[in-house]
Coordinates of all heavy atoms in Angstrom, one line a residue:
V49 N -13.1 66.5 119.3 CA -14.0 66.6 120.5 C -13.8 65.4 121.4 O -13.8 65.5 122.6 CB -15.5 66.8 120.0 CG1 -16.4 66.7 121.2 CG2 -15.7 68.1 119.3
L50 N -13.7 64.2 120.7 CA -13.5 63.0 121.5 C -12.2 63.1 122.4 O -12.2 62.7 123.5 CB -13.4 61.8 120.6 CG -14.6 61.2 120.0 CD1 -14.3 59.9 119.3 CD2 -15.7 61.0 121.1
R51 N -11.2 63.7 121.8 CA -9.9 63.8 122.5 C -10.1 64.7 123.8 O -9.6 64.3 124.9 CB -8.8 64.4 121.7 CG -8.2 63.4 120.7 CD -7.2 64.1 119.8 NE -5.9 64.1 120.3 CZ -5.0 63.1 120.1 NH1 -5.3 62.1 119.3 NH2 -3.8 63.2 120.6
W52 N -10.8 65.7 123.6 CA -11.1 66.6 124.8 C -11.9 65.8 125.8 O -11.6 65.9 127.0 CB -11.8 67.9 124.4 CG -10.9 68.9 123.7 CD1 -10.9 69.3 122.4 CD2 -9.8 69.6 124.3 NE1 -9.9 70.1 122.2 CE2 -9.2 70.4 123.3 CE3 -9.3 69.6 125.6 CZ2 -8.1 71.2 123.6 CZ3 -8.2 70.4 125.9 CH2 -7.6 71.2 124.9
L53 N -12.9 65.2 125.4 CA -13.9 64.5 126.3 C -13.2 63.3 127.0 O -13.4 63.2 128.2 CB -15.1 64.0 125.6 CG -16.1 65.0 125.0 CD1 -17.1 64.3 124.2 CD2 -16.7 65.8 126.2
H54 N -12.5 62.5 126.3 CA -12.1 61.2 126.8 C -10.6 61.1 127.1 O -10.2 60.3 127.9 CB -12.5 60.1 125.8 CG -14.0 60.0 125.7 ND1 -14.8 59.5 126.7 CD2 -14.8 60.3 124.7 CE1 -16.1 59.5 126.3 NE2 -16.1 60.0 125.1
R55 N -9.7 61.9 126.4 CA -8.3 61.8 126.7 C -8.0 62.9 127.7 O -7.3 62.6 128.7 CB -7.5 62.0 125.4 CG -7.2 60.7 124.8 CD -6.3 61.0 123.6 NE -5.0 61.4 124.0 CZ -3.9 61.1 123.3 NH1 -4.0 60.4 122.2 NH2 -2.7 61.5 123.7
E56 N -8.4 64.1 127.4 CA -8.2 65.2 128.4 C -9.2 65.2 129.5 O -9.0 65.9 130.5 CB -8.2 66.5 127.7 CG -7.3 66.6 126.5 CD -5.8 66.3 126.8 OE1 -5.4 66.6 127.9 OE2 -5.1 65.7 126.0
L57 N -10.3 64.5 129.4 CA -11.3 64.3 130.4 C -11.9 65.7 130.8 O -12.3 66.0 131.9 CB -10.7 63.6 131.7 CG -10.1 62.3 131.4 CD1 -9.3 61.8 132.6 CD2 -11.1 61.2 131.0
V58 N -12.1 66.5 129.7 CA -12.6 67.9 129.9 C -14.1 67.9 129.6 O -14.6 67.2 128.7 CB -11.8 68.8 128.9 CG1 -12.6 70.0 128.6 CG2 -10.5 69.1 129.5
D59 N -14.9 68.7 130.4 CA -16.3 68.8 130.1 C -16.7 70.2 129.5 O -17.7 70.3 128.8 CB -17.1 68.9 131.5 CG -17.2 67.5 132.1 OD1 -16.8 66.5 131.4 OD2 -17.7 67.4 133.2
D60 N -15.8 71.1 129.7 CA -16.1 72.5 129.4 C -15.8 72.8 127.9 O -14.7 72.7 127.5 CB -15.3 73.4 130.3 CG -15.5 74.9 130.1 OD1 -16.4 75.2 129.2 OD2 -14.9 75.7 130.8
F61 N -16.8 73.2 127.2 CA -16.6 73.4 125.7 C -15.6 74.5 125.5 O -14.8 74.5 124.5 CB -17.9 73.7 125.0 CG -18.9 72.5 125.1 CD1 -20.2 72.7 125.6 CD2 -18.5 71.3 124.6 CE1 -21.0 71.6 125.7 CE2 -19.4 70.2 124.7 CZ -20.6 70.3 125.2
D62 N -15.6 75.5 126.4 CA -14.7 76.7 126.2 C -13.3 76.3 126.3 O -12.4 76.9 125.8 CB -15.0 77.8 127.3 CG -16.3 78.5 127.0 OD1 -16.6 78.5 125.8 OD2 -16.9 79.0 127.9
A63 N -13.0 75.2 127.0 CA -11.6 74.7 127.1 C -11.1 73.9 125.9 O -9.9 73.6 125.8 CB -11.5 73.8 128.4
M64 N -12.0 73.7 125.0 CA -11.7 72.9 123.8 C -11.1 73.8 122.7 O -11.7 74.1 121.7 CB -12.9 72.1 123.3 CG -13.5 71.2 124.3 SD -14.9 70.2 123.7 CE -15.3 69.3 125.2
T65 N -9.9 74.2 123.0 CA -9.3 75.4 122.3 C -9.1 75.2 120.8 O -9.1 76.2 120.1 CB -8.0 75.9 123.0 OG1 -7.2 74.7 123.2 CG2 -8.3 76.6 124.3
N66 N -8.9 74.0 120.4 CA -8.7 73.8 118.9 C -10.0 73.5 118.2 O -9.9 73.3 117.0 CB -7.6 72.7 118.7 CG -8.1 71.3 119.1 OD1 -9.1 71.2 119.8 ND2 -7.4 70.3 118.8
V67 N -11.1 73.6 118.8 CA -12.4 73.4 118.2 C -12.9 74.8 117.8 O -12.9 75.7 118.7 CB -13.4 72.7 119.1 CG1 -14.8 72.6 118.5 CG2 -12.9 71.3 119.5
A68 N -13.3 75.0 116.5 CA -13.8 76.3 116.1 C -14.8 76.9 117.0 O -15.7 76.2 117.5 CB -14.3 76.2 114.7
K69 N -14.8 78.2 117.2 CA -15.7 78.8 118.2 C -17.1 78.6 117.8 O -17.9 78.4 118.7 CB -15.4 80.3 118.2 CG -14.4 80.7 119.3 CD -14.5 82.1 119.8 CE -13.7 82.3 121.0 NZ -13.2 83.7 121.1
A70 N -17.4 78.7 116.6 CA -18.8 78.5 116.2 C -19.3 77.1 116.5 O -20.5 76.9 117.0 CB -19.0 78.7 114.7
L71 N -18.5 76.1 116.4 CA -18.9 74.7 116.7 C -19.0 74.6 118.2 O -19.9 74.0 118.7 CB -17.8 73.7 116.2 CG -18.1 72.3 116.6 CD1 -19.5 71.8 116.2 CD2 -17.0 71.3 116.0
R72 N -18.1 75.2 119.0 CA -18.2 75.2 120.4 C -19.6 75.8 120.9 O -20.2 75.2 121.8 CB -17.1 76.0 121.1 CG -15.8 75.2 121.2 CD -14.8 75.9 122.0 NE -13.8 76.6 121.2 CZ -13.0 77.6 121.7 NH1 -13.2 78.1 122.9 NH2 -12.1 78.1 120.9
A73 N -20.0 76.8 120.2 CA -21.2 77.5 120.6 C -22.4 76.5 120.3 O -23.3 76.4 121.1 CB -21.4 78.8 119.9
R74 N -22.3 75.8 119.1 CA -23.4 74.9 118.8 C -23.4 73.7 119.8 O -24.5 73.2 120.2 CB -23.2 74.3 117.4 CG -23.8 75.2 116.3 CD -24.2 74.3 115.1 NE -23.1 73.6 114.5 CZ -22.2 74.2 113.6 NH1 -22.4 75.4 113.2 NH2 -21.3 73.5 113.1
L75 N -22.2 73.3 120.2 CA -22.2 72.2 121.1 C -22.8 72.6 122.4 O -23.6 71.8 123.0 CB -20.7 71.7 121.4 CG -20.0 71.0 120.3 CD1 -18.5 70.8 120.6 CD2 -20.7 69.6 120.0
A76 N -22.5 73.8 122.9 CA -23.1 74.3 124.2 C -24.6 74.4 124.1 O -25.3 74.1 125.1 CB -22.5 75.6 124.5
E77 N -25.1 74.7 122.9 CA -26.5 74.8 122.7 C -27.2 73.5 122.6 O -28.3 73.3 123.2 CB -26.7 75.6 121.5 CG -28.1 76.3 121.3 CD -28.1 77.0 119.9 OE1 -27.2 77.8 119.7 OE2 -28.9 76.6 119.1
Q78 N -26.6 72.6 121.9 CA -27.4 71.4 121.5 C -26.9 70.1 122.2 O -27.5 69.0 122.0 CB -27.2 71.1 120.0 CG -27.8 72.3 119.2 CD -27.5 72.1 117.7 OE1 -27.4 71.0 117.3 NE2 -27.5 73.2 117.0
S79 N -25.9 70.2 123.1 CA -25.4 68.9 123.7 C -25.1 69.2 125.2 O -24.9 70.3 125.6 CB -24.2 68.4 122.9 OG -23.1 69.2 123.1
R80 N -24.9 68.1 125.8 CA -24.4 68.1 127.2 C -23.4 67.0 127.4 O -23.3 66.1 126.6 CB -25.6 67.7 128.2 CG -26.8 68.7 128.2 CD -26.4 69.9 128.9 NE -27.5 70.9 128.9 CZ -27.7 71.8 128.0 NH1 -26.8 71.9 127.0 NH2 -28.7 72.7 128.0
V81 N -22.6 67.1 128.5 CA -21.7 66.0 128.9 C -22.2 65.5 130.3 O -22.0 66.2 131.3 CB -20.3 66.5 129.0 CG1 -19.3 65.4 129.4 CG2 -19.9 67.1 127.6
T82 N -23.0 64.5 130.3 CA -23.6 64.1 131.6 C -23.1 62.7 132.1 O -23.2 61.7 131.3 CB -25.2 64.0 131.3 OG1 -25.6 65.2 130.7 CG2 -25.9 63.7 132.6
M83 N -22.6 62.8 133.3 CA -22.1 61.5 133.9 C -23.0 61.1 135.0 O -23.6 61.9 135.7 CB -20.7 61.9 134.6 CG -19.7 62.5 133.6 SD -18.7 61.2 132.9 CE -17.6 60.9 134.4
P84 N -23.0 59.8 135.3 CA -23.7 59.3 136.5 C -23.1 59.9 137.8 O -21.9 60.0 137.9 CB -23.5 57.8 136.5 CG -23.0 57.4 135.2 CD -22.3 58.7 134.6
A85 N -24.0 60.3 138.7 CA -23.5 60.9 140.0 C -23.1 59.8 141.0 O -23.6 58.7 141.0 CB -24.6 61.7 140.6
V86 N -22.1 60.2 141.8 CA -21.5 59.2 142.7 C -22.5 59.2 144.0 O -22.8 60.2 144.5 CB -20.1 59.6 143.2 CG1 -19.6 58.7 144.3 CG2 -19.2 59.7 142.0
V87 N -22.9 58.0 144.4 CA -23.7 57.9 145.6 C -22.8 57.5 146.7 O -22.9 58.2 147.8 CB -24.8 56.7 145.4 CG1 -25.6 56.6 146.7 CG2 -25.6 57.0 144.2
T88 N -21.9 56.5 146.6 CA -20.9 56.2 147.6 C -19.6 55.9 147.0 O -19.5 55.6 145.8 CB -21.3 55.0 148.5 OG1 -21.5 53.9 147.6 CG2 -22.6 55.2 149.2
D89 N -18.5 56.0 147.8 CA -17.2 55.9 147.3 C -16.4 55.2 148.5 O -16.2 55.9 149.5 CB -16.6 57.3 147.0 CG -15.1 57.3 146.6 OD1 -14.5 56.2 146.7 OD2 -14.7 58.4 146.3
N90 N -16.0 54.0 148.3 CA -15.4 53.2 149.4 C -14.1 52.6 148.9 O -14.0 52.1 147.8 CB -16.3 52.1 149.9 CG -17.5 52.7 150.7 OD1 -17.3 53.3 151.7 ND2 -18.6 52.5 150.1
T91 N -13.1 52.7 149.8 CA -11.8 52.0 149.5 C -11.5 51.0 150.6 O -11.7 51.3 151.8 CB -10.7 53.0 149.4 OG1 -11.0 54.0 148.5 CG2 -9.4 52.4 149.0

Side-chain angles (χ1 to χ4, degrees):
V49 173
L50 283 188
R51 284 176 88 91
W52 285 112
L53 291 173
H54 295 289
R55 270 182 69 148
E56 306 303 326
L57 305 171
V58 157
D59 285 355
D60 179 2
F61 298 123
D62 287 335
M64 302 183 180
T65 44
N66 63 350
V67 177
K69 269 206 170 148
L71 176 56
R72 277 190 257 160
R74 270 208 304 275
L75 288 173
E77 198 182 303
Q78 297 173 29
S79 71
R80 296 285 179 270
V81 180
T82 308
M83 303 265 285
V86 177
V87 181
T88 59
D89 173 357
N90 290 296
T91 304

